[in-house]
Amino acid sequence: MNFEPYLEKAKNLNDAASYEILQSLQKEGLPTRKSEEWKYFSPSFLEKFENFELKNTTEWKKSESHLRAHISVNEKTYSGVQIAKTLTSQGRESKSSGFIRRFVSGLSFGTVSFVMDSETTDLDLNFSAEKAFQVLGAIEIQVPEKQKVRVHIKADEYFEELVSSVFFKLERGAELEVYAVEVNPTDGKSIQSLRVDLSEESEFRYVSVLAGASSKRNNLEVNLNGSQARCSLFALSISGKNEKLDNHFFINHNAPSCESRIVYKALVSGQAQVVYDGKVYVEKNAQKTDSDQIARGLILSDGAELDAKPSLEVFADDVSATHGAAIGQVDRDEVFYLMSRGLSEEEASKLLAFAFINEVISQIIDKELRENTKESIEKKFGKWIQEVAHVF
Amino acid sequence: MLDIQNLHVSVDGIPILKGLDFQAKEGEVHAIMGPNGSGKSTFAKVIAGHPEYKVTAGTVDYKKSNMKNIDMLGLAADERAKEGVFLAFQYPIEIPGVSNIDFLRTSFNSICRHQGVSEMNESEFRNFVSEKSKIVKFDSSFLDRAVNEGFSGGEKKKNEILQMAVLSPRLSFLDETDSGLDIDALRIVADGVNQLKNKQNAVIMVTHYQRLLDYIKPDYVHVLYKGRIVKTGGPELAKRLEEEGYDGIIAESEKVIQ
Ligand SMILES: Nc1ncnc2c1ncn2[C@@H]1O[C@H](COP(=O)(O)OP(=O)(O)OP(=O)(O)O)[C@@H](O)[C@H]1O
Ligand SMILES: [Mg+2]
């Protein structure tokens, strides 16, 4: 990809920061499928962002404790937020989310950075386009000490290509809950990157339900930088047809006495291809780390593919950590058990599929969102689950 | 109630039951004993309708009082359950994500629908199950936990008996329900089964231990060996097995076969 026009523009705008980023992007070029990080998901569509006049524009709406950010390609100004200087990174950064962050921020000439005000408890981040068009958005948010915030991240309406990067920095004792629920996505291609850095005693909870995304890369990076920080990630992928969903989770234990937990589940049918790559690093000084990671998958058809690679690298010695994967088809003995209690084969298979996904959906604390999610999955996939039930 | 003639069953093409004959009537309790791998669980699963266990020969007739014969082999597992067949599994399955009470209600209601009995709503059912839970001395926390998930071995077995209590089957097959139970749990489970058995239903228990039969008195004891019932007797047969082991009886029966 040629970043020249952007470099030119950065020069004209006197934007030294963007210039520097763009220069490094120009030097390294787009990653290719040869690199381990992009083996399953070609980043080549990023080329399409060339030659477009983009500006990272964000419209904020605030009502009481609820803040809505509309991130789109329209020229809008921001109001109602305090703009902070770009948050500095700390610790090891995964290659892919680092690249995406720089790509988005370079091409959109800057990152929207701000400190959350103390009244805000709810934040919606909507990435949307007015026309079927590319969307690009980089945003950085600092959550002040002890503040509790709930965030919904959504890709709205229709887009052809979406690349976004969201970065949260939690001050001491802050609590962040992020929901990424997409049950009726568009047909577009997207790469979404979320990074969360935690200070001591802060907590991050993540629940994602991605169903029916036609082509998506989902990067999540968590840095536990202060002692006694905790994170729990619950993620569910439901993919069918020719859909591609490429999940990369990366947790860094950079400080002692932190906890991390990942529960990943995938329901894959048709010819869909789903990847789960989960890496947990425990640095040398991160003693008394407590980390669990489990990936479970149900493959519902012969053509479906799930590649699950939970991994763990530990450099400290006083650590309790587990990781594992279990992938298979619906267990015939489970179906038989339910049938022996009077459920028909169809009811049994459906119940098992729902039981399987419920482990993640039940983690949505907000009752309305939880019930809506269940309902839309049932509406969209209930019939589909019944259809594939005959494969068992 | 149950009449099995010359039953042959294969799994993955390997013959496991090889000419099994068995009859049971309403109100009877049968014990089935036999060495490991002789085919007891296979027998249980085939009666419950496991699709992987293929019947290659023989007949299984099932008759409820005042009703006509049903060819059991023509029914899928769920249809058998609806006709009152119940299997307490040797290894009950865990189902994370489904609460015990939801599972029980789904099961109970689908059987009710079939039998033309009115279904129960959530609160009626909760009361009903709480009452039944007393039979196995379960407190209500077990109802809201996922089916068998994280249950101890003994709790899983008790949960099977709770399901039996809720579904009140005509024909119950208990596959080693006594294995892995401590003394108190064994007594609770046995008391539970005794409360549930009556003149209209039949109970078939697979066990390795005489101990269970001290609590639940069988009318008949059968020895299953190499896929056939090789000996049938009264409770004294179990006592003899406990003292002598299987060797003597197996030797006798092999003489008969030759
Ligand atoms: N699904 C299967 N695939 C292959 N072999 C099987 C299968 N199920 C049962 N068998 C074989 O059939 C034989 C009988 O098994 P079964 O479980 O019925 O024995 P059992 O009498 O219940 O033994 P135990 O007392 O140990 O419970 C065994 O040799 C077993 O390995
Ligand atoms: Mg057995």
Side-chain angles (χ1 to χ4, degrees):
Chain A
M1 178 168 178
N2 181 18
F3 293 88
E4 274 312 332
Y6 291 94
L7 279 162
E8 195 64 26
K9 200 171 169 195
K11 206 188 259 168
N12 294 341
L13 289 169
N14 253 337
D15 187 341
S18 295
Y19 191 83
E20 201 182 310
I21 292 173
L22 289 161
Q23 243 183 347
S24 71
L25 289 172
Q26 173 78 323
K27 218 169 100 197
E28 63 195 83
L30 288 184
T32 66
R33 290 183 86 143
K34 285 202 186 102
S35 85
E36 190 61 25
E37 299 255 339
W38 295 92
K39 205 160 85 187
Y40 299 93
F41 190 90
S42 170
S44 60
F45 83 91
L46 293 178
E47 299 263 5
K48 291 227 189 160
F49 283 94
E50 211 168 1
N51 301 327
F52 280 100
E53 290 276 316
L54 295 174
K55 185 124 180 69
N56 193 9
T57 56
T58 307
E59 183 191 13
W60 302 92
K61 277 196 189 120
K62 181 152 180 174
S63 57
E64 289 171 8
S65 62
H66 206 120
L67 183 63
R68 287 193 176 80
H70 216 75
I71 301 139
S72 67
V73 292
N74 309 321
E75 293 279 340
K76 294 269 166 61
T77 48
Y78 348 115
S79 62
V81 289
Q82 192 189 335
I83 307 295
K85 70 176 191 315
T86 300
L87 304 180
T88 49
S89 344
Q90 209 186 321
R92 188 204 298 260
E93 186 170 47
S94 89
K95 270 196 214 129
S96 53
S97 33
F99 173 79
I100 292 303
R101 197 165 50 79
R102 286 181 305 124
F103 183 88
V104 177
S105 131
L107 264 63
S108 53
F109 297 100
T111 299
V112 183
S113 304
F114 70 99
V115 180
M116 230 156 173
D117 61 27
S118 59
E119 296 96 61
T120 303
T121 57
D122 278 275
L123 172 66
D124 290 346
L125 295 176
N126 281 5
F127 293 93
S128 71
E130 253 174 25
K131 294 177 280 183
F133 207 59
Q134 286 98 333
V135 190
L136 200 63
I139 196 157
E140 297 186 349
I141 300 160
Q142 186 165 327
V143 183
E145 255 190 60
K146 301 225 164 110
Q147 189 151 329
K148 291 187 192 179
V149 184
R150 179 177 7 193
V151 177
H152 293 272
I153 300 182
K154 251 177 52 189
D156 233 29
E157 286 135 37
Y158 60 125
F159 59 85
E160 270 168 17
E161 280 94 21
L162 165 65
V163 185
S164 72
S165 160
V166 179
F167 176 14
F168 284 98
K169 188 159 188 184
L170 306 190
E171 300 277 271
R172 185 194 192 102
E175 289 174 34
L176 173 69
E177 227 180 308
V178 170
Y179 290 107
V181 177
E182 287 174 20
V183 181
N184 289 303
T186 59
D187 287 336
K189 271 197 165 196
S190 61
I191 299 181
Q192 286 181 282
S193 247
L194 172 65
R195 169 172 170 190
V196 180
D197 284 8
L198 289 90
S199 313
E200 51 274 88
E201 289 161 28
S202 62
E203 184 172 353
F204 170 49
R205 209 170 163 278
Y206 172 81
V207 183
S208 98
V209 176
L210 301 177
S214 65
S215 186
K216 189 181 194 73
R217 162 102 182 195
N218 185 30
N219 284 333
L220 174 57
E221 171 171 344
V222 180
N223 292 298
L224 299 156
N225 294 335
S227 63
Q228 292 174 58
R230 295 186 302 272
C231 78
S232 40
L233 319 178
F234 299 93
L236 169 66
S237 308
I238 303 180
S239 296
K241 297 180 215 148
N242 288 311
E243 293 160 6
K244 281 190 171 44
L245 181 53
D246 192 11
N247 296 286
H248 292 255
F249 291 6
F250 184 79
I251 297 181
N252 251 317
H253 280 263
N254 294 321
S257 305
C258 293
E259 287 173 29
S260 66
R261 177 170 180 218
I262 306 178
V263 176
Y264 174 79
K265 295 198 137 191
L267 199 61
V268 195
S269 72
Q271 312 285 316
Q273 245 188 332
V274 174
V275 175
Y276 169 73
D277 171 22
K279 291 195 179 79
V280 175
Y281 277 93
V282 181
E283 298 291 356
K284 206 163 168 186
N285 68 329
Q287 301 296 359
K288 306 251 184 268
T289 285
D290 188 344
S291 171
D292 292 313
Q293 176 180 195
I294 177 80
R296 293 203 187 92
L298 265 189
I299 312 279
L300 300 178
S301 67
D302 287 342
E305 226 181 278
L306 171 62
D307 218 298
K309 291 179 296 182
S311 68
L312 175 66
E313 262 186 66
V314 181
F315 300 99
D317 42 35
D318 181 12
V319 163
S320 143
T322 64
H323 69 300
I327 294 159
Q329 302 186 323
V330 169
D331 188 340
R332 290 183 138 266
D333 283 329
E334 289 179 7
V335 175
F336 173 59
Y337 188 63
L338 296 179
M339 286 181 75
S340 79
R341 301 299 184 251
L343 278 71
S344 70
E345 187 168 358
E346 195 174 290
E347 287 169 329
S349 309
K350 206 173 154 192
L351 185 74
L352 288 171
F354 275 104
F356 181 81
I357 62 185
N358 202 27
E359 205 187 340
V360 171
I361 294 175
S362 62
Q363 294 297 331
I364 302 176
I365 293 170
D366 183 73
K367 195 171 172 206
E368 199 181 317
L369 180 64
R370 187 176 61 236
E371 293 309 319
N372 285 345
T373 306
K374 256 190 209 170
E375 216 170 277
S376 14
I377 288 181
E378 185 138 14
K379 215 157 68 213
K380 188 158 176 184
F381 300 102
K383 201 165 156 269
W384 166 77
I385 288 170
Q386 280 173 33
E387 279 163 13
V388 295
H390 298 296
V391 179
F392 310 147
Chain B
M1 155 188 262
L2 184 65
D3 185 4
I4 300 173
Q5 301 286 345
N6 189 34
L7 185 65
H8 286 71
V9 172
S10 298
V11 187
D12 288 339
I14 307 158
I16 295 171
L17 298 187
K18 303 160 195 167
L20 182 141
D21 297 313
F22 183 88
Q23 287 82 35
K25 292 197 181 69
E26 268 114 345
E28 289 179 352
V29 175
H30 292 252
I32 294 182
M33 305 183 80
N36 294 131
S38 56
K40 303 179 299 296
S41 294
T42 303
F43 181 28
K45 285 181 195 166
V46 99
I47 294 308
H50 197 301
E52 271 172 40
Y53 293 73
K54 301 271 183 279
V55 175
T56 52
T59 56
V60 179
D61 287 332
Y62 174 64
K63 186 174 176 292
K64 295 192 289 182
S65 51
N66 311 325
M67 302 259 259
K68 65 176 185 350
N69 255 348
I70 301 175
D71 168 18
M72 197 126 100
L73 299 178
L75 300 181
D78 59 315
E79 295 166 319
R80 296 185 199 193
K82 286 168 182 151
E83 295 297 342
V85 177
F86 180 82
L87 167 60
F89 283 59
Q90 182 174 0
Y91 304 108
I93 309 279
E94 297 190 9
I95 313 175
V98 181
S99 75
N100 219 4
I101 190 155
D102 286 346
F103 169 52
L104 278 167
R105 195 160 78 92
T106 312
S107 166
F108 178 81
N109 281 340
S110 66
I111 290 176
C112 283
R113 264 198 306 283
H114 176 80
Q115 297 178 345
V117 185
S118 65
E119 300 175 28
M120 285 190 197
N121 67 27
E122 254 174 76
S123 68
E124 287 168 339
F125 190 73
R126 187 169 280 276
N127 291 335
F128 171 72
V129 175
S130 299
E131 206 49 47
K132 297 286 180 192
S133 300
K134 290 180 187 156
I135 292 177
V136 288
K137 302 208 161 53
F138 259 179
D139 71 61
S140 61
S141 69
F142 283 99
L143 297 178
D144 295 305
R145 281 170 62 178
V147 181
N148 293 326
E149 191 188 28
F151 284 31
S152 73
E155 287 162 355
K156 284 181 183 167
K157 298 300 179 78
K158 285 186 190 172
N159 206 25
E160 295 291 286
I161 300 304
L162 172 62
Q163 292 173 24
M164 177 180 167
V166 167
L167 303 177
S168 42
R170 291 305 191 99
L171 175 66
S172 301
F173 217 123
L174 312 182
D175 192 359
E176 294 199 28
T177 303
D178 56 331
S179 296
L181 295 181
D182 66 37
I183 313 270
D184 291 337
L186 178 66
R187 194 167 298 147
I188 290 167
V189 162
D191 284 349
V193 174
N194 282 328
Q195 282 180 57
L196 296 172
K197 76 179 169 61
N198 59 38
K199 289 263 170 294
Q200 279 78 47
N201 59 25
V203 177
I204 305 170
M205 317 181 283
V206 172
T207 182
H208 287 294
Y209 308 105
Q210 158 63 30
R211 207 179 47 173
L212 175 71
L213 307 182
D214 291 337
Y215 293 108
I216 308 173
K217 286 268 166 286
D219 299 296
Y220 299 95
V221 174
H222 310 266
V223 177
L224 206 162
Y225 177 64
K226 288 193 178 167
R228 304 173 64 230
I229 303 277
V230 294
K231 177 118 190 146
T232 295
E236 74 290 342
L237 178 57
K239 292 231 165 61
R240 191 183 146 195
L241 287 171
E242 179 96 340
E243 281 155 23
E244 297 175 14
Y246 289 109
D247 288 355
I249 281 164
I250 287 168
E252 271 171 36
S253 75
E254 284 190 332
K255 241 178 254 156
V256 176
I257 296 169
Q258 285 158 11

